Amino acid sequence: MRYNEKELQALSRQPAELAAELGMRGPKKGSVLKRRLVKLVVNFLFYFRTDEAEPVGALLLERCRVTQEEPSGFSISFLEDPERKYHFACCSEEQCQEWMGALRRASYEFMRRSLIFYRNEIQKMTGKDPLEQFGISEEARFKLGGLKA
Amino acid sequence: MAGCGFNSLLQQLEALGRKWGRTLLKGAPRTMIGGPKWDSGFRPVSLSRVESPFPRVGQELCAPHHLFGNPAFLLRVQFCPLPLLGSALLFSLRRPRMALGGLLSDWITMKLHQKSVLSFFRGCRTQAPDREGILLKKGARNTSYQRRWFILRGNLLFYLENQADHTPLGLILLENCQVEPRLGATEPYAFTILTPRVEGTGGRAYKLAAENQEELGAWLWALAGASCRQLVVLLPTLEAQYRELCQAAGQEPSSPPEGCGFLATLSTPSSFQELHEHFGKEIRVLQVVCRRPQASDNGSNRSQAEEEPELNSC
């Protein structure tokens, strides 16, 4: 599948939701834990060698599962292939929880669902569509009841 | 060029600390028996690990190099098309033909884990995308327009050779892009998606064309709002509004459903009631989705796929 690396590079330079140096281990058997600068930008997770400006790789965070791994670590796997796990080691339980929370909220699908939820709830409580003020109430993406899970 | 043996070259690369220099060093230098020998005693090196995507045969990777203490010399690396003898990189010294900056940007530097993207693409096949349909796409090399099936999901625009393909042909990332109609193009209803620039090099312009005015309008609208950033900006406002209302009404605010990630985030077992409620909601929604008449001529494939509600979508 073709993609333009520069698009990803540009994204990796955007302000990040979270960025920290973590231990990271790939899903392949025999992978070794390496120190990587991990950066969360919208629904992508970039990781850099600690002394480099360009990312080594990127993961798309959609339809993924974030699981706690003892001690103070977590793993990311993708719903279609749950056995392949990317492992991350944090320096504290606190940091681990912070990352896990942020990663679960990072997907476009989660954000869209949340938006639909709040829109729905607010409309129920006030009788008014909160998206009207932004001029996007007709957008198909935010249709109430059209849960694009 | 005396005294600049192969080992010295490796040392120089190591000293530079460049990423791909380290990659090259992972392979043990081996001489190719009967193979070509280049000036200065350089010998082909067998690569044990290369960051994917794997260089294409004939592709040249270049790096700044300080051999002879002269930073102007560039090392040109040619990928050797001798698969039977194993992958080999041949080194040769050439004078620089263009500025360092321009060359550096041609490096392969990053790997997108395609499985994460394909997993998303395939996992969503039975769910309605934000928009899909035929668009004409101008090729990068072949400048004629090709008919492609485009699928927009969130901030990702996939394009396929055929609607039913299992793997997309390509992906366009829609963050910080500019989408504009293109007047004076050879095709009517033409528009451009301009991706952001990186360090002096312009962004890539994807030249597309819709099949009619209506499609053009609908796509322009859909693509303009496709960035994640939009949601990131909107959400806190709505959430705050919701919490305020709950507070005013003396109501306990609840959290948005996690949907596909629901099971993934359960740390303690949920009550049956909770799970029943959640999945019941999703099934009711899917029932509505399945009964919805097809908006465009998607063909029989899609209508069949949607007939069976995905009860196990999580």
Side-chain angles (χ1 to χ4, degrees), chain A residues 56-125:
Chain A
V56 174
L59 286 167
L60 173 67
L61 298 169
E62 298 284 341
R63 292 181 69 88
C64 65
R65 167 174 299 195
V66 182
T67 326
Q68 178 129 28
E69 303 281 344
E70 295 308 324
S72 64
F74 61 90
S75 67
I76 300 176
S77 61
F78 298 94
L79 290 187
E80 275 67 38
D81 197 354
E83 296 311 304
R84 279 186 97 240
K85 290 181 170 188
Y86 293 81
H87 291 262
F88 296 85
C90 302
C91 64
S92 69
E93 182 61 31
E94 221 173 27
Q95 189 186 43
C96 182
Q97 292 301 324
E98 188 188 12
W99 274 92
M100 285 172 65
L103 290 167
R104 285 170 185 152
R105 292 189 303 269
S107 75
Y108 189 100
E109 293 307 312
F110 174 82
M111 287 199 266
R112 190 217 304 270
R113 261 201 301 281
S114 305
L115 196 107
I116 292 173
F117 171 79
Y118 291 128
R119 181 191 190 186
N120 202 14
E121 295 297 307
I122 292 171
Q123 183 141 31
K124 279 199 297 200
M125 291 201 272

